[in-house]
Amino acid sequence: MQQDMILIIDLGSEENAKIAREIRSLGVYSEIHPHDLTADELAKLPNVKGIILNGGKNRIVDGVEIDASDAIYNCGLPIMSVDHKNEPAWPQDDAIRLDAIRGFIFDVCNAQKNWSAKNFIDDQIELMRQQIGDRKVLLALSGGVDSSVVAALLVKAIGDKLTCVHVNHGLLRKGEPEEVVRVFRDELGANLIYVDAVGRFLDKLAGVSDPEEKRKIIGAEFIRVFEEEARKLDGIEFLGQGTIYPDILESGTKTAKNIKSHHNVGGLPEDLQFELVEPLKMLFKDEVREVGFELGLPEGMVQRQPFPGPGLGVRCTGAITRDRLEAVRESDAILREEFAKAGLQGKVWQYFTIVPDFKSTGVKNNERSFEWPVVIRAVNTVDAMTATVEELDWSTLKKITDRIISEVDGVNRVLYDVTPKPTGTIEWE
Ligand code: XMP
């Protein structure tokens, strides 16, 4: 490992991740570890230059106040305490806090500013080669940011010992399956199995209108298709996964209860158990994007907005039909194109279209029409728990509306959803 590291010891603060990000933003790598770290565990962590003890409101666990272990106090490295109980109190002003952290890590710990996407990539390639050796890795490549960056890293590290499986379930956005094939098979030379499962998924979903039922069918069928492909391959020992740091932090710590269980390709049968390769598990989302850029992945892939697992399936409300699904896909493509032209790509958190399963009357070419509406949704959020609506300017909305009603078959109306979350969820199903 090339990078210097600052350890954050979790003494019950809810701000561990924030401080880790602040330190990384100063160019120094930082990881969060539990308060009971042993001397052995500490010795295994590379290039630690200093320790921050981060106390907070979850410091009392099961009635007992927790403290850092003796191993931590006695390790001889510089230690700074960031405890709200101390006097003077830890500053709440972000700029003053950052100054205090800067002073500690550079003047006291003498840490070097060597945390960069390039160094990260070099280190991970080395680590993955050590972990994997001559053995083989399988990766479900959805084309999302995380799985794409994992694929690109693994191709660099182990070349054709990686097999990627891309399942096209028919609910992806326009051009996505083609882009995955072009980037990974044609440009990076990855071993890519492309599975056209469109008919299979749409058959299973035919006539199913309950949103949770639709989700279950899509999830279960995805596992089934992936499992079938895995069984055709010989000698796979590892499964690559795009787990990122927030997934791990949200799975709970010794001072905070589980917030949500981290979901990835779970559900594979018992006899298909693989060892995991998770090169992004210490990165925050924006760092994953930086690594993606550094690896030369296309901007559209790296800046890709969050996209739900069930894909366009939850935006074609009620029972999915092929023609209405096409209307979702085409209108979404127009929306994305116009957002990019207006400089909104990468600025608005999530934007997409919904085509509900009802029709309304309109006039088209001097005739009565009875067709679907397209609903535009564009929201901003930090954690997807609450969201505000993007205040799109009128001329952009008008341009998008004109294009959707003239280019998308079966549509005669365009609506803008101005509902924040709560009360509306981000998706419509
Ligand atoms: P809601 O609709 O709950 O969405 O406000 C919050 C965020 O979660 C995404 N989402 C999903 N992601 N599987 C996923 O992987 C799902 O079933 C799912 N449902 C919603 C949604 O796109 C938004 O970013």
Side-chain angles (χ1 to χ4, degrees):
M1 294 284 273
Q2 307 180 29
Q3 292 108 0
D4 287 353
M5 164 150 52
I6 299 293
L7 284 192
I8 294 166
I9 299 297
D10 170 23
L11 293 180
S13 170
E14 286 167 342
E15 297 207 320
N16 292 320
K18 186 173 177 200
I19 294 186
R21 293 174 64 91
E22 283 172 351
I23 295 173
R24 291 187 191 186
S25 76
L26 296 172
V28 179
Y29 183 56
S30 154
E31 284 182 8
I32 303 157
H33 284 267
H35 64 280
D36 54 0
L37 211 60
T38 65
D40 276 357
E41 287 164 339
L42 200 51
K44 282 196 193 116
L45 295 170
N47 303 346
V48 180
K49 297 292 175 193
I51 296 177
I52 294 178
L53 304 181
N54 196 19
K57 71 178 195 202
N58 294 326
R59 192 158 185 174
I60 310 287
V61 178
D62 295 332
V64 180
E65 182 176 274
I66 55 161
D67 200 357
S69 61
D70 288 346
I72 293 169
Y73 281 118
N74 297 332
C75 71
L77 290 164
I79 294 180
M80 175 165 87
S81 177
V82 179
D83 200 328
H84 307 287
K85 290 189 314 185
N86 282 358
E87 292 297 331
W90 178 239
Q92 290 304 304
D93 181 292
D94 280 355
I96 301 173
R97 283 168 56 127
L98 206 58
D99 264 354
I101 291 174
R102 191 183 280 121
F104 175 69
I105 64 179
F106 295 120
D107 303 338
V108 182
C109 306
N110 289 317
Q112 300 300 304
K113 282 191 184 184
N114 51 15
W115 166 240
S116 68
K118 186 177 175 310
N119 286 347
F120 170 84
I121 292 167
D122 291 347
D123 281 351
Q124 283 306 318
I125 287 176
E126 192 54 42
L127 288 171
M128 288 194 293
R129 283 183 182 153
Q130 282 168 18
Q131 185 190 4
I132 299 160
D134 272 338
R135 294 173 290 170
K136 292 185 188 163
V137 182
L138 179 63
L139 174 75
L141 175 56
S142 66
V145 185
D146 305 337
S147 70
S148 297
V149 172
V150 172
L153 274 173
L154 275 163
V155 170
K156 270 194 157 209
I158 59 165
D160 63 4
K161 289 194 284 291
L162 168 72
T163 302
C164 302
V165 174
H166 178 66
V167 178
N168 181 2
H169 51 27
L171 306 169
L172 297 169
R173 290 179 292 197
K174 188 174 179 176
E176 281 185 336
E178 294 83 359
E179 186 177 46
V180 168
V181 173
R182 179 178 61 73
V183 170
F184 290 96
R185 185 186 284 164
D186 303 345
E187 289 175 17
L188 296 177
N191 204 346
L192 173 73
I193 299 174
Y194 170 81
V195 188
D196 180 348
V198 177
R200 192 172 157 166
F201 274 82
L202 295 187
D203 284 352
K204 285 259 169 189
L205 287 164
V208 180
S209 56
D210 179 69
E212 292 317 305
E213 191 61 24
K214 284 163 71 176
R215 276 194 172 77
K216 266 189 215 145
I217 291 173
I218 296 165
E221 198 60 15
F222 181 87
I223 298 287
R224 213 165 291 140
V225 173
F226 186 71
E227 180 200 334
E228 282 171 21
E229 294 305 318
R231 286 197 194 284
K232 290 183 200 158
L233 300 167
D234 258 351
I236 302 275
E237 291 185 41
F238 295 91
L239 192 66
Q241 281 200 345
T243 315
I244 65 173
Y245 209 19
D247 297 332
I248 302 216
L249 298 174
E250 286 172 2
S251 301
T253 63
K254 288 183 180 165
T255 61
K257 293 260 170 339
N258 179 311
I259 300 169
K260 66 176 186 195
S261 57
H262 105 242
H263 56 88
N264 36 46
V265 193
L268 286 176
E270 283 286 312
D271 64 321
L272 274 181
Q273 290 299 313
F274 304 102
E275 205 180 308
L276 297 182
V277 181
E278 300 177 293
L280 310 181
K281 70 168 187 246
M282 286 298 167
L283 296 191
F284 294 102
K285 193 78 182 192
D286 51 325
E287 295 170 332
V288 176
R289 294 191 207 276
E290 246 179 82
V291 169
F293 275 124
E294 183 69 30
L295 288 164
L297 291 175
E299 182 174 357
M301 197 173 255
V302 174
Q303 290 291 13
R304 193 180 188 263
Q305 25 163 342
F307 189 58
L312 300 182
V314 288
R315 297 172 183 174
C316 185
T317 65
I320 298 169
T321 57
R322 281 185 187 252
D323 48 2
R324 202 154 47 85
L325 184 59
E326 268 331 291
V328 180
R329 202 181 333 263
E330 289 300 322
S331 55
D332 172 79
I334 292 170
L335 184 75
R336 284 191 288 138
E337 221 176 281
E338 293 301 325
F339 265 50
K341 278 192 212 156
L344 297 171
Q345 178 176 304
K347 294 213 175 91
V348 178
W349 195 78
Q350 200 173 15
Y351 46 98
F352 54 87
T353 60
I354 301 119
V355 181
D357 54 345
F358 60 80
K359 292 182 173 176
S360 73
T361 304
V363 241
K364 247 186 183 177
N365 308 321
N366 293 325
E367 280 179 29
R368 176 185 182 275
S369 73
F370 189 58
E371 295 177 307
W372 303 301
V374 163
V375 180
I376 298 172
R377 187 105 172 105
V379 295
N380 293 303
T381 176
V382 176
D383 54 11
M385 304 292 285
T386 61
T388 55
V389 176
E390 169 73 12
E391 294 186 18
L392 270 187
D393 72 60
W394 195 250
S395 62
T396 309
L397 260 178
K398 249 180 111 247
K399 202 148 137 213
I400 296 167
T401 303
D402 289 346
R403 281 198 61 193
I404 289 178
I405 48 184
S406 65
E407 294 175 38
V408 182
D409 285 344
V411 169
N412 64 357
R413 239 174 239 280
V414 175
L415 316 174
Y416 191 44
D417 185 350
V418 292
T419 322
K421 176 180 180 177
T423 54
T425 48
I426 295 177
E427 303 289 347
W428 266 39
E429 281 196 334

